[in-house]
Structure formats: structure tokens, C-alpha cells
Short mmCIF file of all heavy atoms in Angstrom, two decimals:
data_model
loop_
_atom_site.label_atom_id
_atom_site.label_comp_id
_atom_site.label_asym_id
_atom_site.label_seq_id
_atom_site.Cartn_x
_atom_site.Cartn_y
_atom_site.Cartn_z
N MET A 84 0.85 -1.19 0.00
CA MET A 84 0.01 0.00 0.01
C MET A 84 0.89 1.24 0.01
O MET A 84 1.84 1.34 0.74
CB MET A 84 -0.93 0.00 1.24
CG MET A 84 -1.84 1.23 1.27
SD MET A 84 -2.75 1.44 2.78
CE MET A 84 -3.96 0.20 2.60
N LYS A 85 0.55 2.16 -0.86
CA LYS A 85 1.30 3.42 -0.95
C LYS A 85 0.51 4.61 -0.55
O LYS A 85 1.05 5.66 -0.19
CB LYS A 85 1.85 3.60 -2.39
CG LYS A 85 2.81 2.54 -2.85
CD LYS A 85 4.11 2.73 -2.13
CE LYS A 85 5.09 1.66 -2.61
NZ LYS A 85 6.33 1.70 -1.88
N LEU A 86 -0.82 4.49 -0.67
CA LEU A 86 -1.71 5.67 -0.42
C LEU A 86 -2.98 5.23 0.28
O LEU A 86 -3.54 4.23 -0.04
CB LEU A 86 -2.06 6.26 -1.84
CG LEU A 86 -3.09 7.41 -1.81
CD1 LEU A 86 -2.41 8.64 -1.24
CD2 LEU A 86 -3.49 7.69 -3.29
N ALA A 87 -3.38 6.03 1.27
CA ALA A 87 -4.64 5.83 1.99
C ALA A 87 -5.43 7.10 1.89
O ALA A 87 -4.90 8.21 2.19
CB ALA A 87 -4.37 5.49 3.47
N ILE A 88 -6.67 6.98 1.36
CA ILE A 88 -7.53 8.13 1.20
C ILE A 88 -8.63 8.03 2.21
O ILE A 88 -9.29 6.99 2.35
CB ILE A 88 -8.11 8.21 -0.23
CG1 ILE A 88 -6.97 8.24 -1.25
CG2 ILE A 88 -9.03 9.37 -0.41
CD1 ILE A 88 -7.46 8.08 -2.70
N THR A 89 -8.88 9.11 2.91
CA THR A 89 -9.95 9.16 3.91
C THR A 89 -10.95 10.24 3.52
O THR A 89 -10.55 11.37 3.23
CB THR A 89 -9.42 9.33 5.36
OG1 THR A 89 -10.47 9.39 6.26
CG2 THR A 89 -8.58 10.60 5.47
N ALA A 90 -12.21 9.92 3.56
CA ALA A 90 -13.26 10.90 3.27
C ALA A 90 -13.74 11.51 4.58
O ALA A 90 -13.86 10.85 5.60
CB ALA A 90 -14.43 10.22 2.57
N GLY A 91 -13.92 12.81 4.56
CA GLY A 91 -14.39 13.50 5.77
C GLY A 91 -13.44 14.62 6.12
O GLY A 91 -12.54 14.97 5.38
N ILE A 92 -13.62 15.10 7.31
CA ILE A 92 -12.76 16.21 7.79
C ILE A 92 -11.86 15.68 8.88
O ILE A 92 -12.31 15.13 9.85
CB ILE A 92 -13.63 17.37 8.29
CG1 ILE A 92 -14.49 17.91 7.16
CG2 ILE A 92 -12.80 18.44 8.89
CD1 ILE A 92 -15.55 18.92 7.58
N GLY A 93 -10.56 15.86 8.67
CA GLY A 93 -9.58 15.42 9.62
C GLY A 93 -9.10 14.02 9.41
O GLY A 93 -9.72 13.20 8.73
N SER A 94 -7.93 13.76 9.99
CA SER A 94 -7.38 12.37 9.86
C SER A 94 -7.03 11.87 11.25
O SER A 94 -6.16 11.06 11.39
CB SER A 94 -6.12 12.41 8.99
OG SER A 94 -5.17 13.37 9.47
N ASP A 95 -7.73 12.35 12.28
CA ASP A 95 -7.46 11.92 13.64
C ASP A 95 -7.83 10.44 13.91
O ASP A 95 -7.44 9.85 14.92
CB ASP A 95 -8.14 12.80 14.67
CG ASP A 95 -9.64 12.91 14.44
OD1 ASP A 95 -10.12 12.58 13.32
OD2 ASP A 95 -10.34 13.30 15.37
N HIS A 96 -8.51 9.80 12.96
CA HIS A 96 -8.89 8.40 13.12
C HIS A 96 -7.85 7.50 12.44
O HIS A 96 -8.04 6.29 12.38
CB HIS A 96 -10.26 8.13 12.52
CG HIS A 96 -10.39 8.51 11.07
ND1 HIS A 96 -10.50 9.87 10.68
CD2 HIS A 96 -10.34 7.79 9.95
CE1 HIS A 96 -10.55 9.87 9.35
NE2 HIS A 96 -10.47 8.64 8.89
N VAL A 97 -6.79 8.08 11.91
CA VAL A 97 -5.70 7.33 11.23
C VAL A 97 -4.44 7.47 12.11
O VAL A 97 -4.11 8.53 12.58
CB VAL A 97 -5.44 7.91 9.82
CG1 VAL A 97 -4.30 7.21 9.15
CG2 VAL A 97 -6.72 7.85 9.00
N ASP A 98 -3.75 6.35 12.29
CA ASP A 98 -2.46 6.36 13.00
C ASP A 98 -1.38 6.90 12.05
O ASP A 98 -0.79 6.11 11.31
CB ASP A 98 -2.17 4.96 13.48
CG ASP A 98 -0.91 4.92 14.38
OD1 ASP A 98 -0.18 5.92 14.44
OD2 ASP A 98 -0.72 3.82 14.98
N LEU A 99 -1.23 8.21 12.06
CA LEU A 99 -0.26 8.81 11.15
C LEU A 99 1.15 8.40 11.36
O LEU A 99 1.91 8.26 10.37
CB LEU A 99 -0.42 10.35 11.20
CG LEU A 99 -1.76 10.91 10.74
CD1 LEU A 99 -1.81 12.39 10.97
CD2 LEU A 99 -2.03 10.55 9.30
N ASP A 100 1.53 8.15 12.60
CA ASP A 100 2.90 7.70 12.88
C ASP A 100 3.19 6.36 12.23
O ASP A 100 4.23 6.12 11.61
CB ASP A 100 3.18 7.61 14.39
CG ASP A 100 3.19 8.97 15.05
OD1 ASP A 100 3.58 9.98 14.38
OD2 ASP A 100 2.82 9.10 16.22
N ALA A 101 2.16 5.47 12.28
CA ALA A 101 2.33 4.15 11.69
C ALA A 101 2.40 4.23 10.18
O ALA A 101 3.18 3.56 9.51
CB ALA A 101 1.18 3.23 12.12
N THR A 102 1.56 5.09 9.60
CA THR A 102 1.57 5.21 8.14
C THR A 102 2.91 5.83 7.64
O THR A 102 3.43 5.39 6.64
CB THR A 102 0.38 6.03 7.61
OG1 THR A 102 0.39 7.34 8.23
CG2 THR A 102 -0.94 5.37 7.95
N ILE A 103 3.35 6.77 8.35
CA ILE A 103 4.64 7.42 7.99
C ILE A 103 5.77 6.42 8.08
O ILE A 103 6.60 6.31 7.18
CB ILE A 103 4.93 8.65 8.89
CG1 ILE A 103 3.99 9.78 8.53
CG2 ILE A 103 6.39 9.11 8.72
CD1 ILE A 103 4.00 10.92 9.54
N SER A 104 5.82 5.60 9.15
CA SER A 104 6.86 4.65 9.32
C SER A 104 6.82 3.51 8.23
O SER A 104 7.83 2.92 7.94
CB SER A 104 6.80 3.97 10.72
OG SER A 104 5.67 3.19 10.83
N HIS A 105 5.63 3.33 7.63
CA HIS A 105 5.51 2.31 6.61
C HIS A 105 5.54 2.95 5.18
O HIS A 105 5.32 2.24 4.19
CB HIS A 105 4.22 1.50 6.74
CG HIS A 105 4.27 0.59 7.89
ND1 HIS A 105 3.92 0.92 9.20
CD2 HIS A 105 4.66 -0.73 7.95
CE1 HIS A 105 4.07 -0.12 9.95
NE2 HIS A 105 4.49 -1.14 9.29
N GLY A 106 5.80 4.23 5.11
CA GLY A 106 5.91 4.91 3.82
C GLY A 106 4.57 5.09 3.10
O GLY A 106 4.53 5.09 1.85
N ILE A 107 3.50 5.15 3.84
CA ILE A 107 2.15 5.30 3.28
C ILE A 107 1.70 6.75 3.37
O ILE A 107 1.79 7.38 4.45
CB ILE A 107 1.14 4.43 4.00
CG1 ILE A 107 1.55 2.96 3.90
CG2 ILE A 107 -0.26 4.64 3.41
CD1 ILE A 107 0.72 2.00 4.79
N THR A 108 1.31 7.33 2.24
CA THR A 108 0.82 8.69 2.21
C THR A 108 -0.70 8.67 2.58
O THR A 108 -1.43 7.89 1.99
CB THR A 108 1.01 9.33 0.82
OG1 THR A 108 2.42 9.29 0.54
CG2 THR A 108 0.52 10.74 0.75
N VAL A 109 -1.07 9.57 3.46
CA VAL A 109 -2.52 9.70 3.80
C VAL A 109 -3.02 11.03 3.29
O VAL A 109 -2.41 12.09 3.47
CB VAL A 109 -2.70 9.67 5.33
CG1 VAL A 109 -4.13 9.88 5.69
CG2 VAL A 109 -2.18 8.35 5.90
N VAL A 110 -4.12 10.96 2.51
CA VAL A 110 -4.72 12.19 1.98
C VAL A 110 -6.18 12.21 2.44
O VAL A 110 -6.80 11.22 2.69
CB VAL A 110 -4.64 12.26 0.44
CG1 VAL A 110 -3.19 12.36 0.00
CG2 VAL A 110 -5.31 11.13 -0.21
N GLU A 111 -6.69 13.46 2.56
CA GLU A 111 -8.09 13.67 2.98
C GLU A 111 -8.89 14.21 1.80
O GLU A 111 -8.44 15.12 1.14
CB GLU A 111 -8.13 14.64 4.13
CG GLU A 111 -7.38 14.19 5.36
CD GLU A 111 -7.25 15.29 6.40
OE1 GLU A 111 -7.92 16.34 6.21
OE2 GLU A 111 -6.49 15.13 7.33
N GLU A 112 -10.08 13.70 1.68
CA GLU A 112 -11.02 14.20 0.65
C GLU A 112 -12.09 14.92 1.46
O GLU A 112 -13.14 14.33 1.81
CB GLU A 112 -11.60 13.07 -0.18
CG GLU A 112 -12.63 13.52 -1.14
CD GLU A 112 -12.18 14.57 -2.13
OE1 GLU A 112 -11.00 14.55 -2.54
OE2 GLU A 112 -12.98 15.43 -2.50
N THR A 113 -11.84 16.16 1.81
CA THR A 113 -12.80 16.96 2.66
C THR A 113 -14.00 17.40 1.82
O THR A 113 -13.88 17.58 0.57
CB THR A 113 -12.15 18.14 3.29
OG1 THR A 113 -11.58 18.97 2.29
CG2 THR A 113 -10.99 17.72 4.25
N HIS A 114 -15.06 17.58 2.47
CA HIS A 114 -16.33 18.10 1.87
C HIS A 114 -16.90 17.12 0.79
O HIS A 114 -17.77 17.50 0.04
CB HIS A 114 -16.16 19.48 1.24
CG HIS A 114 -15.64 20.47 2.23
ND1 HIS A 114 -16.34 20.86 3.34
CD2 HIS A 114 -14.46 21.13 2.29
CE1 HIS A 114 -15.64 21.75 3.99
NE2 HIS A 114 -14.50 21.95 3.39
N SER A 115 -16.45 15.87 0.79
CA SER A 115 -16.90 14.95 -0.26
C SER A 115 -18.33 14.53 -0.04
O SER A 115 -19.03 14.16 -0.97
CB SER A 115 -16.00 13.72 -0.30
OG SER A 115 -16.07 13.01 0.93
N ASN A 116 -18.81 14.62 1.21
CA ASN A 116 -20.19 14.20 1.45
C ASN A 116 -20.98 15.27 2.15
O ASN A 116 -22.03 15.00 2.77
CB ASN A 116 -20.22 12.89 2.28
CG ASN A 116 -19.55 13.06 3.61
OD1 ASN A 116 -18.90 14.05 3.89
ND2 ASN A 116 -19.68 12.06 4.50
N SER A 117 -20.61 16.51 2.06
CA SER A 117 -21.29 17.62 2.71
C SER A 117 -22.74 17.72 2.28
O SER A 117 -23.63 17.92 3.12
CB SER A 117 -20.58 18.95 2.45
OG SER A 117 -19.26 18.95 2.98
N ILE A 118 -23.01 17.57 1.01
CA ILE A 118 -24.40 17.73 0.51
C ILE A 118 -25.23 16.55 1.03
O ILE A 118 -26.37 16.75 1.46
CB ILE A 118 -24.43 17.79 -1.07
CG1 ILE A 118 -23.78 19.12 -1.49
CG2 ILE A 118 -25.81 17.68 -1.59
CD1 ILE A 118 -23.56 19.24 -2.97
N SER A 119 -24.68 15.36 1.02
CA SER A 119 -25.44 14.19 1.50
C SER A 119 -25.73 14.35 2.98
O SER A 119 -26.84 13.95 3.41
CB SER A 119 -24.63 12.92 1.28
OG SER A 119 -24.46 12.72 -0.10
N VAL A 120 -24.82 14.82 3.75
CA VAL A 120 -25.05 15.02 5.21
C VAL A 120 -26.18 16.07 5.40
O VAL A 120 -27.07 15.87 6.22
CB VAL A 120 -23.78 15.42 5.92
CG1 VAL A 120 -24.05 15.83 7.35
CG2 VAL A 120 -22.79 14.27 5.89
N ALA A 121 -26.13 17.16 4.66
CA ALA A 121 -27.16 18.17 4.78
C ALA A 121 -28.51 17.60 4.37
O ALA A 121 -29.55 17.89 5.01
CB ALA A 121 -26.78 19.39 3.94
N GLU A 122 -28.55 16.88 3.29
CA GLU A 122 -29.85 16.25 2.82
C GLU A 122 -30.40 15.29 3.90
O GLU A 122 -31.60 15.29 4.15
CB GLU A 122 -29.63 15.52 1.53
CG GLU A 122 -29.39 16.40 0.34
CD GLU A 122 -28.94 15.63 -0.92
OE1 GLU A 122 -28.48 14.49 -0.79
OE2 GLU A 122 -29.03 16.23 -1.98
N HIS A 123 -29.53 14.53 4.49
CA HIS A 123 -29.96 13.57 5.54
C HIS A 123 -30.54 14.34 6.72
O HIS A 123 -31.58 13.96 7.28
CB HIS A 123 -28.74 12.74 6.00
CG HIS A 123 -29.09 11.75 7.07
ND1 HIS A 123 -29.87 10.62 6.84
CD2 HIS A 123 -28.75 11.75 8.39
CE1 HIS A 123 -29.99 9.96 7.95
NE2 HIS A 123 -29.34 10.62 8.91
N ALA A 124 -29.90 15.44 7.15
CA ALA A 124 -30.41 16.22 8.26
C ALA A 124 -31.77 16.79 7.95
O ALA A 124 -32.71 16.77 8.80
CB ALA A 124 -29.39 17.33 8.63
N VAL A 125 -31.92 17.30 6.75
CA VAL A 125 -33.24 17.88 6.32
C VAL A 125 -34.33 16.80 6.32
O VAL A 125 -35.44 17.03 6.76
CB VAL A 125 -33.12 18.62 4.98
CG1 VAL A 125 -34.50 18.96 4.42
CG2 VAL A 125 -32.27 19.86 5.11
N MET A 126 -34.00 15.64 5.79
CA MET A 126 -34.95 14.57 5.72
C MET A 126 -35.36 14.06 7.12
O MET A 126 -36.46 13.68 7.36
CB MET A 126 -34.44 13.42 4.86
CG MET A 126 -34.33 13.78 3.38
SD MET A 126 -35.82 14.51 2.70
CE MET A 126 -36.98 13.18 2.82
N GLN A 127 -34.40 14.09 8.05
CA GLN A 127 -34.76 13.68 9.42
C GLN A 127 -35.73 14.72 10.05
O GLN A 127 -36.68 14.26 10.71
CB GLN A 127 -33.48 13.63 10.31
CG GLN A 127 -32.67 12.40 10.07
CD GLN A 127 -31.47 12.33 10.99
OE1 GLN A 127 -30.78 13.35 11.22
NE2 GLN A 127 -31.24 11.18 11.57
N VAL A 128 -35.52 15.96 9.79
CA VAL A 128 -36.43 17.00 10.32
C VAL A 128 -37.80 16.78 9.69
O VAL A 128 -38.85 16.87 10.35
CB VAL A 128 -35.84 18.41 10.03
CG1 VAL A 128 -36.94 19.46 10.32
CG2 VAL A 128 -34.62 18.65 10.87
N LEU A 129 -37.84 16.58 8.36
CA LEU A 129 -39.13 16.37 7.70
C LEU A 129 -39.86 15.14 8.20
O LEU A 129 -41.08 15.14 8.36
CB LEU A 129 -38.90 16.28 6.18
CG LEU A 129 -38.62 17.58 5.49
CD1 LEU A 129 -38.30 17.33 4.02
CD2 LEU A 129 -39.75 18.55 5.59
N ALA A 130 -39.10 14.09 8.51
CA ALA A 130 -39.75 12.86 9.02
C ALA A 130 -40.38 13.13 10.37
O ALA A 130 -41.49 12.60 10.66
CB ALA A 130 -38.70 11.75 9.15
N LEU A 131 -39.74 13.94 11.23
CA LEU A 131 -40.32 14.27 12.48
C LEU A 131 -41.53 15.24 12.37
O LEU A 131 -42.58 15.01 12.96
CB LEU A 131 -39.26 14.92 13.38
CG LEU A 131 -38.17 13.96 13.90
CD1 LEU A 131 -37.07 14.80 14.59
CD2 LEU A 131 -38.74 12.95 14.82
N VAL A 132 -41.36 16.25 11.57
CA VAL A 132 -42.43 17.23 11.37
C VAL A 132 -43.63 16.68 10.72
O VAL A 132 -44.79 16.98 11.07
CB VAL A 132 -41.87 18.46 10.57
CG1 VAL A 132 -42.98 19.41 10.17
CG2 VAL A 132 -40.81 19.22 11.38
N ARG A 133 -43.44 15.79 9.77
CA ARG A 133 -44.60 15.25 9.01
C ARG A 133 -45.10 13.93 9.66
O ARG A 133 -45.91 13.24 9.03
CB ARG A 133 -44.20 14.98 7.56
CG ARG A 133 -43.80 16.23 6.82
CD ARG A 133 -44.88 17.24 6.76
NE ARG A 133 -45.99 16.75 5.99
CZ ARG A 133 -47.15 17.35 5.90
NH1 ARG A 133 -47.37 18.44 6.55
NH2 ARG A 133 -48.16 16.81 5.20
N ASN A 134 -44.66 13.64 10.84
CA ASN A 134 -45.20 12.49 11.61
C ASN A 134 -45.01 11.18 10.87
O ASN A 134 -45.92 10.33 10.81
CB ASN A 134 -46.71 12.77 11.86
CG ASN A 134 -47.18 12.11 13.12
OD1 ASN A 134 -46.40 11.80 13.98
ND2 ASN A 134 -48.50 11.95 13.24
N TYR A 135 -43.88 10.97 10.28
CA TYR A 135 -43.62 9.84 9.44
C TYR A 135 -43.72 8.48 10.14
O TYR A 135 -44.38 7.56 9.66
CB TYR A 135 -42.27 9.93 8.75
CG TYR A 135 -41.88 8.73 7.95
CD1 TYR A 135 -42.40 8.48 6.69
CD2 TYR A 135 -41.04 7.72 8.51
CE1 TYR A 135 -42.14 7.38 5.97
CE2 TYR A 135 -40.72 6.59 7.76
CZ TYR A 135 -41.27 6.45 6.46
OH TYR A 135 -40.98 5.30 5.79
N LEU A 136 -43.04 8.33 11.29
CA LEU A 136 -42.97 7.04 11.93
C LEU A 136 -44.34 6.51 12.36
O LEU A 136 -44.73 5.36 12.06
CB LEU A 136 -42.01 7.01 13.10
CG LEU A 136 -40.53 7.15 12.69
CD1 LEU A 136 -39.65 7.25 13.91
CD2 LEU A 136 -40.13 5.97 11.83
N PRO A 137 -45.19 7.31 13.05
CA PRO A 137 -46.50 6.79 13.38
C PRO A 137 -47.36 6.47 12.13
O PRO A 137 -48.11 5.50 12.10
CB PRO A 137 -47.17 7.93 14.19
CG PRO A 137 -46.01 8.68 14.74
CD PRO A 137 -44.93 8.57 13.67
N SER A 138 -47.20 7.28 11.08
CA SER A 138 -47.96 7.00 9.86
C SER A 138 -47.52 5.73 9.20
O SER A 138 -48.30 4.93 8.71
CB SER A 138 -47.77 8.15 8.86
OG SER A 138 -48.24 9.39 9.40
N HIS A 139 -46.23 5.46 9.19
CA HIS A 139 -45.65 4.23 8.64
C HIS A 139 -46.13 3.01 9.46
O HIS A 139 -46.58 2.03 8.86
CB HIS A 139 -44.11 4.29 8.63
CG HIS A 139 -43.47 3.04 8.10
ND1 HIS A 139 -43.01 2.08 8.92
CD2 HIS A 139 -43.28 2.63 6.80
CE1 HIS A 139 -42.52 1.09 8.16
NE2 HIS A 139 -42.67 1.43 6.91
N GLU A 140 -46.13 3.13 10.74
CA GLU A 140 -46.57 2.06 11.60
C GLU A 140 -48.06 1.73 11.34
O GLU A 140 -48.46 0.55 11.29
CB GLU A 140 -46.38 2.39 13.08
CG GLU A 140 -44.92 2.32 13.48
CD GLU A 140 -44.71 2.76 14.93
OE1 GLU A 140 -45.72 2.98 15.65
OE2 GLU A 140 -43.56 2.92 15.31
N GLY A 141 -48.84 2.79 11.14
CA GLY A 141 -50.28 2.61 10.86
C GLY A 141 -50.45 1.87 9.53
O GLY A 141 -51.31 0.95 9.41
N GLY A 142 -49.71 2.19 8.52
CA GLY A 142 -49.77 1.50 7.23
C GLY A 142 -49.32 0.06 7.34
O GLY A 142 -49.98 -0.86 6.76
N VAL A 143 -48.25 -0.17 8.07
CA VAL A 143 -47.73 -1.56 8.20
C VAL A 143 -48.75 -2.43 8.95
O VAL A 143 -48.92 -3.61 8.66
CB VAL A 143 -46.39 -1.51 8.96
CG1 VAL A 143 -45.98 -2.92 9.38
CG2 VAL A 143 -45.34 -0.92 8.06
N ASN A 144 -49.45 -1.83 9.91
CA ASN A 144 -50.40 -2.59 10.75
C ASN A 144 -51.77 -2.72 10.05
O ASN A 144 -52.71 -3.10 10.74
CB ASN A 144 -50.54 -1.95 12.11
CG ASN A 144 -49.27 -2.07 12.92
OD1 ASN A 144 -48.53 -3.05 12.75
ND2 ASN A 144 -48.99 -1.08 13.75
N GLY A 145 -51.85 -2.38 8.77
CA GLY A 145 -53.08 -2.63 8.04
C GLY A 145 -54.04 -1.47 7.90
O GLY A 145 -55.09 -1.55 7.29
N GLY A 146 -53.70 -0.36 8.50
CA GLY A 146 -54.60 0.81 8.41
C GLY A 146 -53.96 1.95 7.63
O GLY A 146 -52.76 2.09 7.64
N TRP A 147 -54.79 2.71 6.99
CA TRP A 147 -54.29 3.90 6.31
C TRP A 147 -55.40 4.93 6.31
O TRP A 147 -56.30 4.86 5.53
CB TRP A 147 -53.82 3.63 4.92
CG TRP A 147 -53.36 4.89 4.23
CD1 TRP A 147 -54.02 5.59 3.27
CD2 TRP A 147 -52.18 5.64 4.49
NE1 TRP A 147 -53.33 6.69 2.91
CE2 TRP A 147 -52.19 6.79 3.66
CE3 TRP A 147 -51.10 5.49 5.39
CZ2 TRP A 147 -51.18 7.72 3.65
CZ3 TRP A 147 -50.10 6.46 5.38
CH2 TRP A 147 -50.15 7.53 4.51
N ASN A 148 -55.32 5.81 7.30
CA ASN A 148 -56.30 6.89 7.38
C ASN A 148 -55.54 8.18 7.20
O ASN A 148 -54.79 8.61 8.10
CB ASN A 148 -57.01 6.85 8.74
CG ASN A 148 -58.10 7.90 8.83
OD1 ASN A 148 -58.10 8.92 8.12
ND2 ASN A 148 -59.06 7.67 9.74
N ILE A 149 -55.69 8.77 6.04
CA ILE A 149 -54.91 9.99 5.74
C ILE A 149 -55.15 11.11 6.73
O ILE A 149 -54.22 11.83 7.08
CB ILE A 149 -55.14 10.47 4.27
CG1 ILE A 149 -54.15 11.53 3.88
CG2 ILE A 149 -56.54 11.02 4.11
CD1 ILE A 149 -52.75 10.97 3.69
N ALA A 150 -56.36 11.23 7.28
CA ALA A 150 -56.63 12.26 8.28
C ALA A 150 -55.80 12.03 9.53
O ALA A 150 -55.30 12.95 10.13
CB ALA A 150 -58.11 12.30 8.61
N ASP A 151 -55.66 10.77 9.95
CA ASP A 151 -54.86 10.47 11.11
C ASP A 151 -53.36 10.69 10.87
O ASP A 151 -52.58 11.08 11.72
CB ASP A 151 -55.02 9.00 11.57
CG ASP A 151 -56.38 8.77 12.15
OD1 ASP A 151 -57.10 9.72 12.55
OD2 ASP A 151 -56.78 7.59 12.22
N SER A 152 -52.96 10.49 9.61
CA SER A 152 -51.54 10.60 9.24
C SER A 152 -51.06 12.05 9.27
O SER A 152 -49.93 12.33 9.57
CB SER A 152 -51.27 10.03 7.87
OG SER A 152 -51.56 8.62 7.87
N VAL A 153 -51.93 12.99 8.97
CA VAL A 153 -51.54 14.39 8.92
C VAL A 153 -51.93 15.18 10.17
O VAL A 153 -51.64 16.35 10.28
CB VAL A 153 -52.06 15.09 7.67
CG1 VAL A 153 -51.52 14.47 6.41
CG2 VAL A 153 -53.57 15.10 7.62
N GLU A 154 -52.55 14.46 11.10
CA GLU A 154 -52.99 15.13 12.34
C GLU A 154 -51.74 15.59 13.13
O GLU A 154 -50.77 14.87 13.24
CB GLU A 154 -53.79 14.15 13.18
CG GLU A 154 -54.24 14.67 14.54
CD GLU A 154 -54.95 13.62 15.35
OE1 GLU A 154 -55.66 12.83 14.72
OE2 GLU A 154 -54.71 13.61 16.55
N ARG A 155 -51.80 16.78 13.59
CA ARG A 155 -50.68 17.35 14.41
C ARG A 155 -50.88 16.94 15.87
O ARG A 155 -51.98 17.08 16.41
CB ARG A 155 -50.64 18.87 14.31
CG ARG A 155 -50.43 19.37 12.91
CD ARG A 155 -48.99 19.11 12.52
NE ARG A 155 -48.75 19.60 11.15
CZ ARG A 155 -47.95 19.06 10.30
NH1 ARG A 155 -47.26 17.98 10.61
NH2 ARG A 155 -47.83 19.57 9.11
N LEU A 156 -49.84 16.44 16.48
CA LEU A 156 -49.94 16.05 17.88
C LEU A 156 -49.74 17.24 18.79
O LEU A 156 -49.10 18.14 18.57
CB LEU A 156 -48.88 14.96 18.18
CG LEU A 156 -49.09 13.70 17.36
CD1 LEU A 156 -47.92 12.78 17.68
CD2 LEU A 156 -50.40 13.05 17.71
#
């Protein structure tokens, strides 16, 4: 191995002393997943705001009442 690529910010999860002693170059690909992380955060908020989990459970358990699904708690 000559090269180790890590995605994300920082290389604190890599033993840099070991890689240096073995002649392995470590590079970081920062911001490679920034958009995906932001999208995930927005979708989590939407799932909470739109009452997704109780609605999903209702559908799985055989019921689907759209009025109950959009009811605000």
C-alpha cells in the first residue's frame, strides 16, 4: 500500500505515525459528502415534522387513514 484516502474532515482516526513509518501517504477528501449530510439532516427533520414514523406504523399494521396521518400532535 502506498496511499490511503480518507473521506471527511480530519485524519485523527488514522495512525499517522504508523503510516509514515511504513511509507504510506495519507490524503483527505474533505467536503466529499457535505451535501449528503445536509440532505440527511433535512430529511430527518421532515420525518419528524410530518409524523412519518406513526404514519408508517399505521400502514404496516393494516390501516391507512390519511386524516390520522396528517394530524398534528
Side-chain angles (χ1 to χ4, degrees):
M84 180 189 285
K85 297 288 181 185
L86 176 68
I88 302 172
T89 179
I92 298 173
S94 56
D95 55 342
H96 58 283
V97 177
D98 186 349
L99 295 176
D100 292 331
T102 58
I103 290 169
S104 68
H105 288 89
I107 300 170
T108 302
V109 176
V110 296
E111 300 170 9
E112 177 57 35
T113 57
H114 305 295
S115 62
N116 62 349
S117 297
I118 293 172
S119 297
V120 170
E122 290 170 342
H123 180 70
V125 169
M126 292 309 295
Q127 284 183 315
V128 169
L129 286 174
L131 290 171
V132 169
R133 299 301 295 171
N134 209 20
Y135 174 78
L136 290 176
S138 300
H139 180 261
E140 288 175 8
V143 168
N144 293 329
W147 177 254
N148 183 338
I149 192 69
D151 290 342
S152 297
V153 296
E154 178 183 324
R155 299 286 181 214
L156 299 175

